[in-house]
Amino acid sequence: MVLRREGLWAVRDFDPGSAARRAFRGIEATPYDPRWAVPGVYRPYEEALSVRVENADGRERGLGLTGEVVFELDGRVHALQVAVEDDGTLWAVFADATSGRSTFRFRFLRPAAPAEDGTVTVDLNRALLPPCAFADHFICPFPPPGNTLDLAVAAGERRVLTG
């Protein structure tokens, strides 16, 4: 696959016979639990901002953020900084108390586009492993400051199974 990143051309080679592909056994995911799907509100920033975050390849890059999603879970209010994708859906990079222990270092969350009044469902059952969980050549951004939840999110995709 030919791609262009940061002004450079590259070729990404997918080898169906690679050792990593042969070792892949699946994705460990938690069964759906309605307690992890809660109402939230998207609050856009007055202006989009860019924060510098480390990426999986060790380099710092800007991560564009357009607002935050605020939600309540376990009686406490939480917020995740998010970006709005071209189709209106939201995208967050987050970590939690399980990150690097029983789950990958961080995960992605892609809530649907918020309603006109900003309401959105925050469904942590839909937490996804980032592409860099599967292969080293992906350069996923780490969570921005403030996007580490201080609770254990025992929901969604947790880690890649190999063996």
Side-chain angles (χ1 to χ4, degrees):
M1 176 170 116
V2 177
L3 61 117
R4 187 171 171 90
R5 179 183 295 134
E6 298 174 339
L8 300 172
W9 288 97
V11 175
R12 187 174 286 154
D13 181 27
F14 292 93
D15 178 5
S18 73
R21 182 165 271 194
R22 287 192 313 272
F24 179 75
R25 297 294 174 250
I27 297 171
E28 180 184 327
T30 305
Y32 191 89
D33 182 344
R35 112 175 183 66
W36 294 107
V38 296
V41 176
Y42 171 64
R43 296 183 179 154
Y45 298 143
E46 286 187 28
E47 290 183 19
L49 59 97
S50 179
V51 296
R52 303 289 293 175
V53 296
E54 188 174 346
N55 283 244
D57 65 351
R59 291 185 56 196
E60 274 195 7
R61 292 180 179 80
L63 176 64
L65 299 168
T66 58
E68 63 183 19
V69 171
V70 179
F71 58 98
E72 188 176 316
L73 194 59
D74 291 342
R76 293 190 328 211
V77 175
H78 303 277
L80 291 174
Q81 298 175 85
V82 298
V84 175
E85 300 281 42
D86 290 340
D87 65 357
T89 60
L90 304 176
W91 176 62
V93 183
F94 79 97
D96 66 274
T98 68
S99 297
R101 293 179 178 92
S102 62
T103 64
F104 189 68
R105 297 180 295 184
F106 58 93
R107 294 181 279 172
F108 290 172
L109 188 65
R110 297 189 179 275
E116 216 170 285
D117 65 356
T119 57
V120 63
T121 298
V122 177
D123 189 349
L124 293 163
N125 290 289
R126 306 283 182 223
L128 302 169
L129 293 172
C132 57
F134 298 90
D136 292 335
H137 63 266
F138 292 103
I139 58 169
C140 307
F142 290 0
N147 270 25
T148 299
L149 300 173
D150 63 353
L151 69 146
V153 178
E157 294 182 351
R158 302 179 61 76
R159 62 181 157 206
V160 175
L161 299 174
T162 59

